Amino acid sequence: LNVRRNHGKVADDDPDAKAIRDCLAGDRNAFRGLVEKYKVPICDCTYRMTGNFHHAEDLAQEAFTKAFSSLSMFEGRAKFSSWLYRIALNLCKDHLRHRALAEDIVDPDALGRAVLENSSARKPGESAVINEEHARLQCALKALPAEYREVFVLRHMHELSYREISEISGENVGALKVRVHRARSMIVGFLEGGKWTAKTNS
Amino acid sequence: MDCENELMKYFDGEMSEEERARMLASLKDSDPRKLAWLRANEEWLGYFKAAGKIVPAEAFQADVMKKIESAPADATAHPVDHVIRMRNELMRLKVFAAVAAVALVAVSAFLAFELNRGPDFQVPHDQPVVARQPFNGKSGLAEVVFVLRHSQATSVSVAGSFNDWKPGTLNLEKKGDDLWVANVTLPQGRYEYMFVVDGAEWVTDPCARAFADDGFGNQNAVLTVNK
């Protein structure tokens, strides 16, 4: 399959485009590189949304397999990563709708098992502190409604631009900025334990 | 100053260094508490930024690829492929429909010819006959075609042990000049029957394979339906 079949929207200079073209031409193995490249952000995203390490892995796997099976629908208007994020987040929202987000927003198993990307930079004795920090941040994320948690994670944890978030969510940048701002206020309000009143931060 | 907008710009990094410095200096003088809140925000956002990302288990990639390998072969087919496939499918259906229509016409013509021609076996002119066409069906039923050749009859029915010998309940239909036909579905078994012409004349089927005495000096035809 060539670029023309995708209406020329998969740009030749997009590093993911070749893998996508190869997949569409029948080379399933070409998808391996895309999984390798995006498994960490997608897995982290599903974890931040669900708070459960096992569910996060399952959802991330489902996102990749769904992306593969729908690859012919990918028109290349957005980046492949944005499209993948969108699939993963939609799966997370479906998951959360069907399952009350309960105590497992801070997954104790994940605290023990999860390997943080920058953990090698930390001293061994810091692991308990890391876990405590991790738990606090996850609890704060839990305090956010899913639509706020989603944009907060993308903006402040995955450091995506508003344009990328707009590609993922399909919402306009202005509305997203307001939502992220409210999410920030809510999350810091939670972490500071009501130290800052509405009057203070308005 | 639109405070919310200023804060949004501050945290979204949309302020120049100069603007940031001016805003911080302004807050330091006018609202130190708000400045502390802003600093707390920055600190927490720094923690989130530095939180790192969860790394999936080592088998993650292999598990995904395993699922992908077992996906249907056309999983990545382009929508254009689907359209082409649908068009081909429709073409195939059209061809099939055309063939089916031709076959239907041919079968209908054949049946019409056969019914007008009468049964394959030799039928004495103006003699009543019965043809039996049992078939093996899942239901255990067999289709029996009663055929009577009678040129003067205005109505013909068949009465037998399968309908309590009631004339007029199973009527034969006239085909052509002198042929009377009825299709009846019967379970397997042994039956005795007679034709009733014009509601009054009881006629024995002379072509029946077996006969039985009816106790009134006449003979019933005997029909054995095998599964």
Side-chain angles (χ1 to χ4, degrees), chain B residues 78-98:
Chain B
H78 191 271
V80 171
D81 296 335
H82 291 299
V83 171
I84 291 169
R85 201 168 299 137
M86 281 175 67
R87 192 196 62 186
N88 291 342
E89 204 61 39
L90 282 171
M91 288 292 288
R92 265 197 292 276
L93 282 172
K94 277 182 183 172
V95 171
F96 175 77

Side-chain angles (χ1 to χ4, degrees), chain B residues 34-220:
Chain B
K34 184 145 201 160
L35 180 63
W37 175 84
L38 190 145
R39 291 293 188 204
N41 261 271
E42 279 187 315
E43 192 180 349
W44 281 114
L45 292 179
Y47 284 129
F48 277 108
K49 189 176 169 181
K53 291 188 177 66
I54 296 290
V55 175
E58 274 185 31
F60 182 87
Q61 189 193 46
D63 289 344
V64 171
M65 293 311 293
K66 207 180 291 174
K67 285 181 183 173
I68 285 172
E69 288 301 324
S70 59
D74 64 343
T76 56
H78 191 271
V80 171
D81 296 335
H82 291 299
V83 171
I84 291 169
R85 201 168 299 137
M86 281 175 67
R87 192 196 62 186
N88 291 342
E89 204 61 39
L90 282 171
M91 288 292 288
R92 265 197 292 276
L93 282 172
K94 277 182 183 172
V95 171
F96 175 77
V99 170
V102 169
L104 190 64
V105 168
V107 168
S108 303
F110 173 76
L111 285 176
F113 173 77
E114 282 295 302
L115 287 173
N116 282 324
R117 187 169 67 88
D120 284 338
F121 46 81
Q122 291 295 315
V123 182
H125 193 61
D126 285 337
Q127 292 293 317
V129 296
V130 62
R132 182 166 57 82
Q133 297 181 346
F135 66 94
N136 293 325
K138 287 178 184 173
S139 60
L141 298 173
E143 185 183 23
V144 177
V145 183
F146 290 99
V147 182
L148 172 69
R149 201 179 280 281
H150 199 299
S151 59
Q152 271 113 50
T154 53
S155 74
V156 178
S157 64
V158 59
S161 52
F162 42 78
N163 65 351
D164 294 324
W165 295 98
K166 290 179 181 168
T169 56
L170 281 173
N171 295 314
L172 280 70
E173 195 179 337
K174 193 172 185 182
K175 303 281 183 186
D177 293 331
D178 59 356
L179 198 67
W180 297 81
V181 179
N183 292 292
V184 181
T185 302
L186 295 172
Q188 63 182 111
R190 180 186 176 280
Y191 303 98
E192 291 185 21
Y193 68 95
M194 288 187 82
F195 290 119
V196 184
V197 176
D198 295 331
E201 183 189 357
W202 290 74
V203 178
T204 305
D205 179 4
C207 294
R209 291 181 183 176
F211 299 92
D213 195 333
D214 68 355
F216 301 99
N218 292 317
Q219 287 202 312
N220 293 330

Side-chain angles (χ1 to χ4, degrees), chain A residues 183-194:
Chain A
R184 263 193 310 257
S185 297
M186 282 190 258
I187 211 159
V188 175
F190 175 86
L191 285 164
E192 292 287 307

